[in-house]
């Protein structure tokens, strides 16, 4: 099945499609792994009920709520925090390759390290979906260790729908890694999957 990129407006005008909105919450961090490897940024994903990695978010009923209001509702359910998502946070819309008649909208929002830590706490303590639809938030390792450790191993896991592509595009558009680093991580991950 082919995948097609659309503008937010064209996506909303498409008849007979369901809409899903997901978001990459991220921010800078000065923390160091083992006291010497900078983690550089915090990027949040989640382990879903089905064992796949994905972003917080979900299906939006566009006859009852805007894409951004629906995404805020899903964030409240899955992460347990109120985050005001706006049209400015939208980065791409795509007809899903794995799910026919579904358009997936992707958003990114930069937060402070303190806000991200609050989100991680809330995801466990306040989110109604914790332990049900969502088994836990995970940080994406953005560094490279020996033998594919770090980002390459992370990318070799299984992701829902096109969330792996959304992650790579988010890391690129937010300049969290260089193009060379991203290509190297994808190359190493490919070798692992063989
Ligand atoms: P329910 O409340 O049980 O309906 O789930 P939900 O509203 O939270 O929906 P979900 O997050 O599972 O997203 C709906 C559909 O979008 C899924 O069936 C997947 O096909 C797809 N999907 C889920 N997570 C992601 C993601 O992070 N990125 C993309 N592109 N698609 C996703
Ligand atoms: Mn230790
Ligand atoms: Mn969801
Ligand atoms: Mn949900
Ligand atoms: Mn839902
Ligand atoms: Mn639900």
């Amino acid at each position: 099945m082919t995948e097609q990129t659309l503008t937010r407006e064209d996506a909303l005008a498409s008849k007979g499609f369901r809409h899903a909105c997901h978001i990459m919450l991220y921010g800078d961090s000065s923390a160091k792994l083992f006291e010497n490897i900078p983690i550089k940024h915090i990027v949040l994903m989640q382990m879903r009920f089905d064992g796949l990695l994905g972003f917080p978010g979900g299906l939006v009923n566009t006859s009852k709520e805007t894409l951004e209001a629906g995404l805020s509702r899903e964030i409240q359910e899955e992460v347990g925090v109120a985050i005001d998502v706006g049209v400015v946070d939208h980065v791409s819309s795509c007809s899903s390759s794995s799910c026919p008649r579904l358009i997936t909208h992707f958003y990114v929002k930069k937060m402070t390290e303190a806000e991200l830590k609050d989100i991680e706490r809330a995801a466990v303590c306040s989110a109604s979906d914790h332990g049900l639809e969502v088994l836990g938030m995970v940080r994406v390792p953005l560094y490279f260790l020996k033998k594919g450790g770090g980002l390459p191993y992370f990318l070799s896991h299984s992701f829902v729908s096109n969330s792996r592509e959304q992650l790579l595009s988010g890391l690129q558009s937010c300049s969290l890694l260089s193009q060379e680093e991203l290509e190297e991580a994808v190359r190493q991950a490919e070798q692992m999957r063989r």
Side-chain angles (χ1 to χ4, degrees):
M1 203 169 296
T2 54
E3 193 174 277
Q4 197 191 345
T5 310
L6 304 150
T7 66
R8 183 180 173 285
E9 289 66 35
D10 287 346
L12 282 172
S14 307
K15 296 259 179 284
F17 282 85
R18 291 179 308 147
H19 297 266
C21 297
H22 294 88
I23 190 165
M24 183 179 93
L25 300 169
Y26 76 100
D28 300 330
S29 171
S30 57
K32 288 182 178 167
L33 171 66
F34 308 138
E35 293 173 356
N36 66 2
I37 300 163
I39 67 166
K40 298 189 274 199
H41 311 280
I42 296 169
V43 173
L44 298 181
M45 292 191 78
Q46 64 188 17
M47 178 54 72
R48 293 161 40 92
F49 66 93
D50 55 12
L52 297 173
L53 291 163
F55 290 100
L59 293 170
V60 173
N61 183 343
T62 51
S63 67
K64 290 194 180 138
E65 55 190 356
T66 64
L67 291 175
E68 292 73 28
L71 177 54
S72 297
R73 173 184 53 70
E74 285 287 342
I75 294 170
Q76 182 70 57
E77 294 168 6
E78 299 187 355
V79 192
V81 292
I83 293 179
D84 193 24
V85 184
V87 177
V88 291
D89 304 313
H90 174 270
V91 287
S92 62
S93 299
C94 199
S95 62
S96 172
S97 51
S98 52
C99 248
R101 314 308 292 172
L102 178 72
I103 294 175
T104 56
H105 304 268
F106 188 52
Y107 293 73
V108 300
K109 198 169 173 78
K110 188 168 189 181
M111 324 280 295
T112 67
E113 184 167 14
E115 286 170 332
L116 290 163
K117 287 182 174 177
D118 284 343
I119 287 169
E120 290 175 317
R121 249 188 305 276
V124 175
C125 299
S126 317
S128 57
D129 276 333
H130 178 67
L132 302 171
E133 278 182 41
V134 183
L135 304 182
M137 303 295 299
V138 295
R139 292 189 187 192
V140 179
L142 299 180
Y143 40 78
F144 292 74
L145 304 173
K146 287 190 198 99
K147 297 181 181 170
L151 186 60
Y153 257 123
F154 187 86
L155 291 175
S156 76
H157 294 313
S158 297
F159 291 78
V160 67
S161 185
N162 60 347
S163 60
R164 187 177 184 268
E165 289 70 38
Q166 289 175 329
L167 171 63
L168 291 169
S169 78
L171 295 178
Q172 183 185 24
S173 65
C174 300
S175 301
L176 303 187
L177 286 177
S178 71
Q179 193 57 41
E180 293 70 42
E181 289 171 311
L182 286 171
E183 283 168 12
E184 179 60 18
V186 169
R187 197 186 61 75
Q188 288 188 29
E190 279 310 313
Q191 286 182 332
M192 284 165 195
R193 294 218 247 196
R194 267 179 241 205

Short mmCIF file of all heavy atoms in Angstrom, two decimals, residues 87-137:
data_model
loop_
_atom_site.label_atom_id
_atom_site.label_comp_id
_atom_site.label_asym_id
_atom_site.label_seq_id
_atom_site.Cartn_x
_atom_site.Cartn_y
_atom_site.Cartn_z
N VAL A 87 -1.92 24.35 16.20
CA VAL A 87 -1.63 24.07 14.78
C VAL A 87 -0.14 24.31 14.49
O VAL A 87 0.44 23.64 13.64
CB VAL A 87 -2.52 24.96 13.87
CG1 VAL A 87 -2.18 24.73 12.40
CG2 VAL A 87 -4.00 24.66 14.11
N VAL A 88 0.49 25.23 15.24
CA VAL A 88 1.92 25.51 15.02
C VAL A 88 2.80 24.30 15.32
O VAL A 88 3.93 24.22 14.84
CB VAL A 88 2.43 26.68 15.90
CG1 VAL A 88 1.85 28.00 15.46
CG2 VAL A 88 2.16 26.42 17.37
N ASP A 89 2.28 23.36 16.13
CA ASP A 89 3.06 22.17 16.49
C ASP A 89 2.95 21.05 15.45
O ASP A 89 3.65 20.04 15.54
CB ASP A 89 2.62 21.64 17.87
CG ASP A 89 2.72 22.72 18.95
OD1 ASP A 89 3.76 23.38 19.02
OD2 ASP A 89 1.74 22.89 19.73
N HIS A 90 2.05 21.22 14.46
CA HIS A 90 1.85 20.20 13.43
C HIS A 90 3.06 20.17 12.48
O HIS A 90 3.55 21.21 12.07
CB HIS A 90 0.59 20.53 12.63
CG HIS A 90 0.36 19.64 11.45
ND1 HIS A 90 0.86 19.93 10.19
CD2 HIS A 90 -0.29 18.46 11.33
CE1 HIS A 90 0.50 18.97 9.36
NE2 HIS A 90 -0.20 18.07 10.02
N VAL A 91 3.55 18.94 12.17
CA VAL A 91 4.66 18.86 11.21
C VAL A 91 4.31 18.10 9.93
O VAL A 91 4.80 18.45 8.86
CB VAL A 91 5.96 18.27 11.81
CG1 VAL A 91 6.62 19.24 12.74
CG2 VAL A 91 5.72 16.95 12.50
N SER A 92 3.46 17.07 10.02
CA SER A 92 3.15 16.35 8.79
C SER A 92 1.87 15.54 8.92
O SER A 92 1.45 15.19 10.02
CB SER A 92 4.31 15.40 8.42
OG SER A 92 4.47 14.44 9.43
N SER A 93 1.25 15.28 7.78
CA SER A 93 0.08 14.40 7.72
C SER A 93 0.32 13.40 6.61
O SER A 93 0.88 13.75 5.57
CB SER A 93 -1.19 15.21 7.42
OG SER A 93 -1.42 16.16 8.44
N CYS A 94 -0.09 12.17 6.84
CA CYS A 94 0.28 11.10 5.94
C CYS A 94 -0.84 10.07 5.89
O CYS A 94 -1.39 9.72 6.92
CB CYS A 94 1.55 10.46 6.52
SG CYS A 94 2.47 9.51 5.37
N SER A 95 -1.19 9.60 4.67
CA SER A 95 -2.13 8.50 4.62
C SER A 95 -1.36 7.24 4.99
O SER A 95 -0.27 7.00 4.49
CB SER A 95 -2.74 8.38 3.22
OG SER A 95 -1.74 8.11 2.28
N SER A 96 -1.90 6.49 5.92
CA SER A 96 -1.17 5.37 6.52
C SER A 96 -0.92 4.25 5.52
O SER A 96 -1.79 3.89 4.73
CB SER A 96 -1.96 4.84 7.71
OG SER A 96 -1.37 3.67 8.20
N SER A 97 0.27 3.66 5.56
CA SER A 97 0.58 2.55 4.67
C SER A 97 0.06 1.24 5.25
O SER A 97 -0.27 0.31 4.53
CB SER A 97 2.09 2.46 4.44
OG SER A 97 2.77 2.46 5.67
N SER A 98 -0.03 1.16 6.60
CA SER A 98 -0.44 -0.10 7.22
C SER A 98 -1.93 -0.16 7.51
O SER A 98 -2.51 -1.24 7.61
CB SER A 98 0.34 -0.31 8.53
OG SER A 98 0.24 0.82 9.35
N CYS A 99 -2.57 0.99 7.64
CA CYS A 99 -3.99 1.07 7.98
C CYS A 99 -4.74 1.81 6.88
O CYS A 99 -4.60 3.02 6.75
CB CYS A 99 -4.15 1.85 9.28
SG CYS A 99 -4.72 0.91 10.66
N PRO A 100 -5.56 1.12 6.07
CA PRO A 100 -6.28 1.82 5.01
C PRO A 100 -7.31 2.79 5.59
O PRO A 100 -7.85 2.55 6.66
CB PRO A 100 -6.94 0.70 4.22
CG PRO A 100 -6.94 -0.48 5.09
CD PRO A 100 -5.86 -0.32 6.10
N ARG A 101 -7.54 3.88 4.89
CA ARG A 101 -8.53 4.91 5.28
C ARG A 101 -8.19 5.59 6.61
O ARG A 101 -9.08 6.05 7.33
CB ARG A 101 -9.96 4.33 5.38
CG ARG A 101 -10.40 3.44 4.23
CD ARG A 101 -10.22 4.02 2.87
NE ARG A 101 -11.09 5.15 2.57
CZ ARG A 101 -10.99 5.91 1.47
NH1 ARG A 101 -10.04 5.68 0.59
NH2 ARG A 101 -11.81 6.91 1.28
N LEU A 102 -6.89 5.61 6.95
CA LEU A 102 -6.46 6.33 8.15
C LEU A 102 -5.41 7.36 7.76
O LEU A 102 -4.48 7.05 7.02
CB LEU A 102 -5.86 5.34 9.17
CG LEU A 102 -5.32 5.97 10.46
CD1 LEU A 102 -6.46 6.46 11.36
CD2 LEU A 102 -4.44 4.99 11.24
N ILE A 103 -5.58 8.58 8.24
CA ILE A 103 -4.55 9.60 8.07
C ILE A 103 -3.90 9.85 9.42
O ILE A 103 -4.58 10.03 10.43
CB ILE A 103 -5.14 10.92 7.51
CG1 ILE A 103 -5.65 10.68 6.08
CG2 ILE A 103 -4.09 12.03 7.53
CD1 ILE A 103 -6.35 11.86 5.46
N THR A 104 -2.55 9.77 9.45
CA THR A 104 -1.83 10.00 10.69
C THR A 104 -1.19 11.38 10.65
O THR A 104 -0.50 11.73 9.69
CB THR A 104 -0.76 8.92 10.93
OG1 THR A 104 0.12 8.87 9.81
CG2 THR A 104 -1.39 7.55 11.13
N HIS A 105 -1.47 12.16 11.69
CA HIS A 105 -0.93 13.52 11.80
C HIS A 105 0.16 13.51 12.87
O HIS A 105 -0.03 12.90 13.93
CB HIS A 105 -2.03 14.50 12.21
CG HIS A 105 -3.21 14.49 11.30
ND1 HIS A 105 -3.33 15.36 10.22
CD2 HIS A 105 -4.33 13.72 11.28
CE1 HIS A 105 -4.47 15.13 9.59
NE2 HIS A 105 -5.11 14.14 10.22
N PHE A 106 1.26 14.18 12.58
CA PHE A 106 2.39 14.16 13.50
C PHE A 106 2.68 15.57 13.99
O PHE A 106 2.67 16.53 13.21
CB PHE A 106 3.62 13.57 12.80
CG PHE A 106 4.80 13.34 13.69
CD1 PHE A 106 4.67 12.61 14.88
CD2 PHE A 106 6.05 13.81 13.34
CE1 PHE A 106 5.77 12.39 15.70
CE2 PHE A 106 7.16 13.58 14.15
CZ PHE A 106 7.02 12.87 15.33
N TYR A 107 2.90 15.66 15.31
CA TYR A 107 3.18 16.95 15.96
C TYR A 107 4.47 16.81 16.75
O TYR A 107 4.80 15.71 17.21
CB TYR A 107 2.04 17.32 16.92
CG TYR A 107 0.73 17.61 16.25
CD1 TYR A 107 -0.05 16.58 15.70
CD2 TYR A 107 0.25 18.92 16.13
CE1 TYR A 107 -1.24 16.84 15.06
CE2 TYR A 107 -0.96 19.19 15.50
CZ TYR A 107 -1.70 18.15 14.96
OH TYR A 107 -2.87 18.41 14.31
N VAL A 108 5.18 17.91 16.94
CA VAL A 108 6.33 17.91 17.85
C VAL A 108 6.21 19.13 18.75
O VAL A 108 5.69 20.17 18.34
CB VAL A 108 7.70 17.94 17.11
CG1 VAL A 108 7.86 16.74 16.20
CG2 VAL A 108 7.89 19.23 16.33
N LYS A 109 6.63 18.98 19.99
CA LYS A 109 6.58 20.12 20.92
C LYS A 109 7.78 20.09 21.84
O LYS A 109 8.07 19.07 22.48
CB LYS A 109 5.29 20.09 21.72
CG LYS A 109 4.97 21.44 22.38
CD LYS A 109 3.56 21.43 22.94
CE LYS A 109 3.27 22.69 23.73
NZ LYS A 109 2.99 23.87 22.89
N LYS A 110 8.49 21.22 21.89
CA LYS A 110 9.67 21.32 22.74
C LYS A 110 9.28 21.73 24.16
O LYS A 110 8.45 22.63 24.34
CB LYS A 110 10.67 22.33 22.17
CG LYS A 110 11.99 22.32 22.92
CD LYS A 110 13.08 23.08 22.20
CE LYS A 110 14.40 22.82 22.91
NZ LYS A 110 15.51 23.55 22.31
N MET A 111 9.84 21.05 25.14
CA MET A 111 9.54 21.31 26.54
C MET A 111 10.87 21.50 27.28
O MET A 111 11.93 21.15 26.76
CB MET A 111 8.81 20.12 27.18
CG MET A 111 7.82 19.37 26.31
SD MET A 111 6.23 20.16 26.17
CE MET A 111 5.65 20.06 27.83
N THR A 112 10.79 21.95 28.51
CA THR A 112 12.01 22.01 29.33
C THR A 112 12.26 20.64 29.94
O THR A 112 11.37 19.78 30.00
CB THR A 112 11.87 23.04 30.47
OG1 THR A 112 10.88 22.55 31.38
CG2 THR A 112 11.47 24.42 29.94
N GLU A 113 13.49 20.45 30.43
CA GLU A 113 13.84 19.18 31.06
C GLU A 113 12.94 18.93 32.28
O GLU A 113 12.48 17.81 32.51
CB GLU A 113 15.32 19.19 31.46
CG GLU A 113 15.79 17.88 32.04
CD GLU A 113 17.31 17.79 32.15
OE1 GLU A 113 17.99 18.84 32.02
OE2 GLU A 113 17.81 16.68 32.37
N ALA A 114 12.66 19.99 33.04
CA ALA A 114 11.81 19.85 34.23
C ALA A 114 10.39 19.43 33.83
O ALA A 114 9.78 18.57 34.47
CB ALA A 114 11.78 21.16 35.01
N GLU A 115 9.88 20.03 32.76
CA GLU A 115 8.53 19.67 32.29
C GLU A 115 8.49 18.21 31.83
O GLU A 115 7.53 17.48 32.12
CB GLU A 115 8.11 20.57 31.12
CG GLU A 115 7.74 21.98 31.54
CD GLU A 115 7.57 22.93 30.36
OE1 GLU A 115 8.19 22.73 29.30
OE2 GLU A 115 6.82 23.90 30.50
N LEU A 116 9.54 17.77 31.15
CA LEU A 116 9.59 16.38 30.66
C LEU A 116 9.65 15.40 31.82
O LEU A 116 9.03 14.33 31.77
CB LEU A 116 10.77 16.20 29.71
CG LEU A 116 10.58 16.92 28.36
CD1 LEU A 116 11.91 17.08 27.62
CD2 LEU A 116 9.58 16.17 27.47
N LYS A 117 10.38 15.77 32.88
CA LYS A 117 10.43 14.89 34.05
C LYS A 117 9.07 14.83 34.74
O LYS A 117 8.66 13.77 35.23
CB LYS A 117 11.52 15.36 35.01
CG LYS A 117 12.92 15.07 34.50
CD LYS A 117 13.98 15.51 35.49
CE LYS A 117 15.36 15.07 35.03
NZ LYS A 117 16.42 15.54 35.94
N ASP A 118 8.37 15.96 34.79
CA ASP A 118 7.01 15.97 35.34
C ASP A 118 6.09 15.07 34.52
O ASP A 118 5.23 14.36 35.06
CB ASP A 118 6.44 17.40 35.36
CG ASP A 118 7.03 18.24 36.49
OD1 ASP A 118 7.62 17.64 37.42
OD2 ASP A 118 6.92 19.47 36.43
N ILE A 119 6.25 15.12 33.19
CA ILE A 119 5.44 14.30 32.30
C ILE A 119 5.69 12.82 32.57
O ILE A 119 4.76 12.01 32.64
CB ILE A 119 5.76 14.65 30.82
CG1 ILE A 119 5.15 16.02 30.48
CG2 ILE A 119 5.27 13.57 29.87
CD1 ILE A 119 5.61 16.58 29.17
N GLU A 120 6.96 12.45 32.75
CA GLU A 120 7.29 11.04 33.01
C GLU A 120 6.66 10.57 34.33
O GLU A 120 6.19 9.44 34.42
CB GLU A 120 8.81 10.85 33.03
CG GLU A 120 9.43 11.01 31.65
CD GLU A 120 10.94 10.94 31.67
OE1 GLU A 120 11.57 11.55 32.56
OE2 GLU A 120 11.51 10.28 30.79
N ARG A 121 6.68 11.45 35.33
CA ARG A 121 6.04 11.10 36.61
C ARG A 121 4.53 10.95 36.44
O ARG A 121 3.93 9.98 36.91
CB ARG A 121 6.33 12.20 37.65
CG ARG A 121 7.25 11.78 38.77
CD ARG A 121 7.33 12.86 39.84
NE ARG A 121 7.72 14.16 39.30
CZ ARG A 121 8.99 14.54 39.08
NH1 ARG A 121 9.97 13.73 39.38
NH2 ARG A 121 9.27 15.72 38.57
N ALA A 122 3.93 11.93 35.77
CA ALA A 122 2.48 11.91 35.57
C ALA A 122 2.05 10.67 34.80
O ALA A 122 0.98 10.10 35.06
CB ALA A 122 2.02 13.18 34.86
N ALA A 123 2.87 10.26 33.83
CA ALA A 123 2.51 9.10 33.00
C ALA A 123 2.29 7.86 33.85
O ALA A 123 1.45 7.03 33.54
CB ALA A 123 3.59 8.85 31.95
N VAL A 124 3.03 7.78 34.95
CA VAL A 124 2.87 6.64 35.87
C VAL A 124 1.79 6.92 36.90
O VAL A 124 0.94 6.07 37.17
CB VAL A 124 4.21 6.34 36.59
CG1 VAL A 124 4.02 5.23 37.63
CG2 VAL A 124 5.28 5.95 35.59
N CYS A 125 1.80 8.13 37.47
CA CYS A 125 0.96 8.44 38.63
C CYS A 125 -0.45 8.92 38.28
O CYS A 125 -1.37 8.71 39.06
CB CYS A 125 1.64 9.49 39.51
SG CYS A 125 3.23 8.94 40.14
N SER A 126 -0.62 9.60 37.16
CA SER A 126 -1.90 10.26 36.87
C SER A 126 -2.63 9.76 35.63
O SER A 126 -3.84 9.99 35.51
CB SER A 126 -1.70 11.77 36.70
OG SER A 126 -0.85 12.28 37.68
N ALA A 127 -1.93 9.13 34.70
CA ALA A 127 -2.58 8.77 33.44
C ALA A 127 -3.55 7.61 33.62
O ALA A 127 -3.19 6.56 34.15
CB ALA A 127 -1.52 8.41 32.39
N SER A 128 -4.82 7.81 33.17
CA SER A 128 -5.83 6.76 33.34
C SER A 128 -5.50 5.53 32.50
O SER A 128 -5.93 4.44 32.81
CB SER A 128 -7.21 7.31 32.97
OG SER A 128 -7.20 7.81 31.64
N ASP A 129 -4.73 5.72 31.42
CA ASP A 129 -4.39 4.59 30.55
C ASP A 129 -3.14 3.84 30.97
O ASP A 129 -2.75 2.86 30.33
CB ASP A 129 -4.20 5.08 29.10
CG ASP A 129 -5.52 5.19 28.37
OD1 ASP A 129 -6.45 4.45 28.72
OD2 ASP A 129 -5.62 6.00 27.42
N HIS A 130 -2.49 4.33 32.06
CA HIS A 130 -1.24 3.67 32.45
C HIS A 130 -1.49 2.22 32.87
O HIS A 130 -2.37 1.93 33.67
CB HIS A 130 -0.54 4.41 33.60
CG HIS A 130 0.73 3.71 34.04
ND1 HIS A 130 1.83 3.61 33.22
CD2 HIS A 130 1.05 3.05 35.17
CE1 HIS A 130 2.77 2.93 33.83
NE2 HIS A 130 2.33 2.57 35.02
N GLY A 131 -0.71 1.32 32.29
CA GLY A 131 -0.87 -0.11 32.58
C GLY A 131 -1.94 -0.76 31.73
O GLY A 131 -2.13 -1.97 31.80
N LEU A 132 -2.65 0.04 30.95
CA LEU A 132 -3.70 -0.48 30.08
C LEU A 132 -3.29 -0.26 28.62
O LEU A 132 -2.54 -1.05 28.07
CB LEU A 132 -5.03 0.20 30.42
CG LEU A 132 -5.47 0.02 31.89
CD1 LEU A 132 -6.66 0.89 32.23
CD2 LEU A 132 -5.79 -1.45 32.17
N GLU A 133 -3.72 0.88 28.02
CA GLU A 133 -3.30 1.15 26.65
C GLU A 133 -1.81 1.48 26.56
O GLU A 133 -1.18 1.32 25.51
CB GLU A 133 -4.08 2.34 26.07
CG GLU A 133 -5.45 1.96 25.55
CD GLU A 133 -6.17 3.16 24.95
OE1 GLU A 133 -5.52 3.96 24.26
OE2 GLU A 133 -7.37 3.30 25.20
N VAL A 134 -1.28 2.00 27.67
CA VAL A 134 0.13 2.42 27.68
C VAL A 134 0.87 1.70 28.79
O VAL A 134 0.47 1.76 29.95
CB VAL A 134 0.25 3.95 27.89
CG1 VAL A 134 1.72 4.36 27.82
CG2 VAL A 134 -0.57 4.71 26.86
N LEU A 135 1.94 1.01 28.44
CA LEU A 135 2.69 0.24 29.43
C LEU A 135 3.84 1.04 30.02
O LEU A 135 4.45 0.60 31.00
CB LEU A 135 3.20 -1.06 28.80
CG LEU A 135 2.07 -1.92 28.18
CD1 LEU A 135 2.63 -3.19 27.61
CD2 LEU A 135 0.99 -2.21 29.22
N GLY A 136 4.14 2.19 29.46
CA GLY A 136 5.18 3.04 30.02
C GLY A 136 5.76 3.97 28.99
O GLY A 136 5.79 3.65 27.80
N MET A 137 6.22 5.14 29.46
CA MET A 137 6.93 6.04 28.56
C MET A 137 8.37 5.56 28.47
O MET A 137 8.92 5.02 29.43
CB MET A 137 6.95 7.47 29.12
CG MET A 137 5.59 8.07 29.41
SD MET A 137 4.58 8.30 27.93
CE MET A 137 5.62 9.43 27.01
#
